[in-house]
Amino acid sequence: MDALLQFIFSGMTVGAVYALVALGFTIIYNASDVVNFAQGEFVMLGGMITVFAHQAGMPLPLAAAMAVVAAAGGGVALNRLAIEPARSAPVVSLIIITIGASILIRGAARLIFDKQLHRLPSFSGDTPIRIMGATILPQSLWVMGGAVAVFIGLWLFFSRTLTGKAVLATANNRIAAQLVGINTRWIMTLSFGLSAAIGALAGVLVTPITLVSYDVGVALALKGFAAAMLGGMGNPRGALLGGILLGLLESMTAGYLSSQYKDAVAFIVILAVLFVMPQGIFGKKPVERV
Amino acid sequence: MTAARGKWLQLAVLAIVIAALPLIFPSGYYYRVGALIFVNALSVVGLVILIGLAGQISLGHAGFAGIGAYACALAPAHLGLHPGLALVLGAVVSGLLALLIGRPILRLKGYYLAVATLGFGILVSMVLTNERALTGGPDGMAVEDIGLRPLLRDLGWRISGGEFWYGISGIALLIGAWMALNLLDSPTGRAMRALHGSEVAASTVGIDVARQKLRAFVISAVYASVAGSLLALQNGFVTPDIAGFMHSIEMVTMAVLGGVGSVIGAVLGAAILTLLPQVLTVFAEYEQLVLGAVMIIVMIFMPQGLLPSIMRRIRGRGE
């Protein structure tokens, strides 16, 4: 029982990170129909920039804020320089562009920073909190709290603000949105910036637990992508649930079956879900227009 | 130009390039690079059938390359099979596996298909990495020599390992390209092209869409498997990296870079992406940076790939 609770805690922590990455995927996918495989690199940038700014003497909150803003700038640049010029390209080309961007960002990070593993101090100490025989790190609460806060913030943004509704309108039908006067180009810019900022925030929150190096982005992008697909692409609720489900699955497998195959079970479940529900758990059934 | 003449022209160009390149090789090292290009090109030709012809994406084909490679490593060591037969065994296993998983996977579309194939590739590489007792884990394992070179030596033909594999890979690529060009021009090829255009339209003219997709998937899996086997045999060594996600991406990038609809484009894409790291070893620090930039720039300015874009420019000027 204690062990189970312990696995749930660690699964929720990892799952919250996957959920944040998956939310980033979802926002960009909704605004542009692009799956941004460079999403994991924003998590890496968030962690790395914070570490180096903090080492240079900047207070942690300021360093973190700077990392989030810098990553958002990177997201906007990615959209302007690589995605917008290739708007009409086929899906395969867009996949290659974003994977190219991810390789490029990783290469640049290796040059600018270094190849070492780095860590950040925990935000509120390293004393584990005991709950019913299991323990949880205060930093884990920060990660989970961050995911919940981002989700609520996004929900408010999409349902209560005019800009948020403009994003939804663009996601629904780009041409119709343009006709009612929405600047869809600006919506794209906003989406990329927002999603990069969310990724960077995940990086800042999780670095005290998992450490960061220039190459952590690939695995996170794959897991986040898988989580987003599991929930149903383009659905924020699905992204949150898919991420947490994936995290729980991984920690249960690592705990009860085999830690070597924890990543495998995640993908087996995704294959199984897609076989039964080809659009993911919350996805809409697409209709092919002739 | 008729399609048939185009086919023989393409094959002739390919054969002449393969045969003539060694004339300008300054050292034996270039035979190795050439052989690597041909092997990569062979797996990319398979992807041309899947992506370019049938319009399905796969981010997990390195899994099949891994199966082919490890078949050549494991079957001789454990079953006592000749490495050459192990290549055939690997191809059969890959084909059957593709047949088995293909049907449920190919019902998926677009990004869903991408994540499912990606999952498959990752599962294969994970098994190869984790089953240490069998595969040697991340350190990889040695592959038995195919034993043809001593035979040639007995016949009085002394060639180096590099030359030998250059020849074998070149011939394999020619055969693979010839079969792919035949397929492109057959009723099956036209059916695949039709479903690429519109699945609904294809099914209304009586094409069994699921069956044709599956066919393209199985064929491309066998290509990847044979290429993986050849790579393992010529390196004499194999690691799980061959089945890794980055290798899958590399294969798709080669296919799309050259121009995903054409066999010659596949060879061109494979050549560029194989040569790039060799050239960039001098600037090892910048390798990833340049590779990423090349991928982005080519896709933005030539979304159809290099070869179609160049051909269009040439034709455009001719008018």
Side-chain angles (χ1 to χ4, degrees):
Chain A
M1 191 56 207
D2 298 353
L4 177 67
L5 196 63
Q6 193 65 57
F7 296 146
I8 291 179
F9 286 160
S10 61
M12 295 282 278
T13 309
V14 187
V17 178
Y18 295 161
L20 283 172
V21 180
L23 279 171
F25 271 113
T26 306
I27 294 170
I28 289 182
Y29 181 77
N30 273 346
S32 62
D33 285 333
V34 173
V35 167
N36 174 27
F37 280 95
Q39 192 62 28
E41 308 309 322
F42 295 130
V43 183
M44 179 273 291
L45 281 180
M48 286 299 248
I49 296 175
T50 313
V51 165
F52 276 80
H54 187 55
Q55 274 175 5
M58 217 182 259
L60 193 54
L62 196 64
M66 197 188 90
V68 171
V69 172
V76 171
L78 171 67
N79 176 42
R80 280 284 152 88
L81 300 177
I83 306 294
E84 248 178 42
R87 272 308 303 170
S88 53
V91 171
V92 190
S93 305
L94 285 169
I95 290 180
I96 289 178
I97 286 178
T98 60
I99 290 176
S102 120
I103 295 175
L104 183 110
I105 295 172
R106 213 178 311 144
R110 206 179 88 167
L111 274 181
I112 298 168
F113 305 117
D114 56 22
K115 289 189 259 181
Q116 312 298 320
L117 272 173
H118 295 282
R119 65 161 297 161
L120 279 174
S122 300
F123 298 176
S124 17
D126 289 311
T127 328
I129 302 162
R130 299 195 69 85
I131 302 169
M132 287 160 53
T135 59
I136 187 166
L137 285 172
Q139 191 63 34
S140 293
L141 296 178
W142 274 99
V143 177
M144 291 180 219
V148 172
V150 166
F151 183 73
I152 293 174
L154 283 178
W155 179 72
L156 288 174
F157 172 66
F158 285 128
S159 61
R160 299 290 158 87
T161 68
L162 201 59
T163 318
K165 285 176 182 167
V167 176
L168 289 184
T170 309
N172 227 316
N173 188 329
R174 174 181 305 274
I175 293 167
Q178 276 172 344
L179 282 175
V180 295
I182 293 169
N183 184 348
T184 52
R185 192 160 170 251
W186 189 74
I187 297 291
M188 285 262 296
T189 306
L190 178 77
S191 304
F192 271 84
L194 191 63
S195 127
I198 292 173
L201 181 69
V204 173
L205 291 175
V206 82
T207 299
I209 304 177
T210 58
L211 310 186
V212 67
S213 65
Y214 79 101
D215 58 356
V216 295
V218 191
L220 281 169
L222 293 185
K223 298 290 180 58
F225 179 39
M229 304 309 273
L230 192 61
M233 201 72 204
N235 185 323
R237 202 161 38 116
L240 187 72
L241 252 101
I244 290 177
L245 202 63
L246 196 60
L248 285 175
L249 270 171
E250 269 189 33
S251 81
M252 293 298 159
T253 314
Y256 291 113
L257 294 171
S258 142
S259 60
Q260 285 180 329
Y261 281 104
K262 71 179 169 79
D263 302 312
V265 170
F267 282 104
I268 289 173
V269 169
I270 286 157
L271 284 176
V273 167
L274 288 179
F275 288 170
V276 184
M277 290 176 272
Q279 276 80 43
I281 298 173
F282 289 102
K284 289 183 295 262
K285 204 175 164 63
V287 182
E288 188 181 355
R289 286 198 191 120
V290 181
Chain B
M1 196 193 310
T2 64
R5 249 179 64 202
K7 181 175 90 182
W8 293 114
L9 185 69
Q10 288 182 45
L11 282 175
V13 169
L14 199 57
I16 290 168
V17 169
I18 293 172
L21 267 183
L23 297 177
I24 57 163
F25 282 169
S27 74
Y29 161 74
Y30 289 84
Y31 284 100
R32 290 234 165 259
V33 179
L36 192 60
I37 291 177
F38 299 153
V39 168
N40 283 335
L42 182 65
S43 62
V44 176
V45 168
L47 279 184
V48 163
I49 294 170
L50 182 71
I51 302 176
L53 198 56
Q56 308 299 309
I57 190 167
S58 168
L59 297 184
H61 256 56
F64 295 116
I67 291 172
Y70 273 85
C72 283
L74 291 171
H78 292 277
L79 305 175
L81 211 60
H82 185 270
L85 287 176
L87 178 146
V88 178
L89 178 73
V92 171
V93 171
S94 291
L96 286 178
L97 195 62
L99 196 67
L100 195 72
I101 63 166
R103 228 173 229 274
I105 276 188
L106 291 165
R107 281 198 308 151
L108 305 168
K109 291 190 173 63
Y111 288 117
Y112 289 92
L113 181 61
V115 77
T117 49
L118 186 156
F120 162 75
I122 287 181
L123 289 178
V124 173
S125 80
M126 227 174 272
V127 171
L128 295 177
T129 311
N130 287 337
E131 295 305 319
R132 281 162 199 278
L134 199 62
T135 65
D139 298 334
M141 65 184 294
V143 180
E144 211 176 281
D145 191 71
I146 195 163
L148 273 179
R149 241 172 7 110
L151 206 70
L152 288 176
R153 197 168 48 222
D154 292 344
L155 293 171
W157 197 16
R158 286 178 178 279
I159 51 174
S160 73
E163 288 165 345
F164 174 73
W165 283 111
Y166 181 89
I168 295 286
S169 313
I171 292 167
L173 174 61
L174 273 177
I175 296 172
W178 173 63
M179 296 199 312
L181 286 167
N182 278 345
L183 180 81
L184 251 62
D185 211 22
S186 71
T188 307
R190 278 187 281 273
M192 287 174 183
R193 207 168 301 154
L195 79 90
H196 187 176
S198 162
E199 285 187 22
V200 175
S203 60
T204 54
V205 293
I207 292 167
D208 187 343
V209 170
R211 192 184 149 86
Q212 297 300 349
K213 280 190 197 174
L214 192 61
R215 224 180 234 180
F217 193 67
V218 171
I219 293 172
S220 64
V222 171
Y223 269 89
S225 176
V226 171
S229 294
L230 287 173
L231 197 62
L233 287 171
Q234 69 182 9
N235 287 340
F237 199 77
V238 60
T239 67
D241 281 347
I242 193 168
F245 172 62
M246 280 320 288
H247 188 215
S248 287
I249 294 304
E250 211 176 69
M251 283 162 64
V252 176
T253 308
M254 285 173 179
V256 178
L257 200 66
V260 75
S262 75
V263 170
I264 297 293
V267 179
L268 190 68
I272 291 172
L273 271 204
T274 313
L275 284 174
L276 199 60
Q278 311 283 343
V279 178
L280 290 176
T281 42
V282 196
F283 319 97
E285 290 279 285
Y286 295 90
E287 189 189 324
Q288 286 190 312
L289 210 64
V290 175
L291 179 65
V294 167
M295 285 165 75
I296 297 175
I297 290 168
V298 173
M299 282 302 105
I300 290 176
F301 294 106
M302 305 173 178
Q304 307 304 322
L306 280 171
L307 194 67
S309 303
I310 293 169
M311 292 303 278
R312 196 173 309 140
R313 185 147 298 178
I314 292 171
R315 282 197 196 119
R317 209 163 277 168
E319 273 163 20

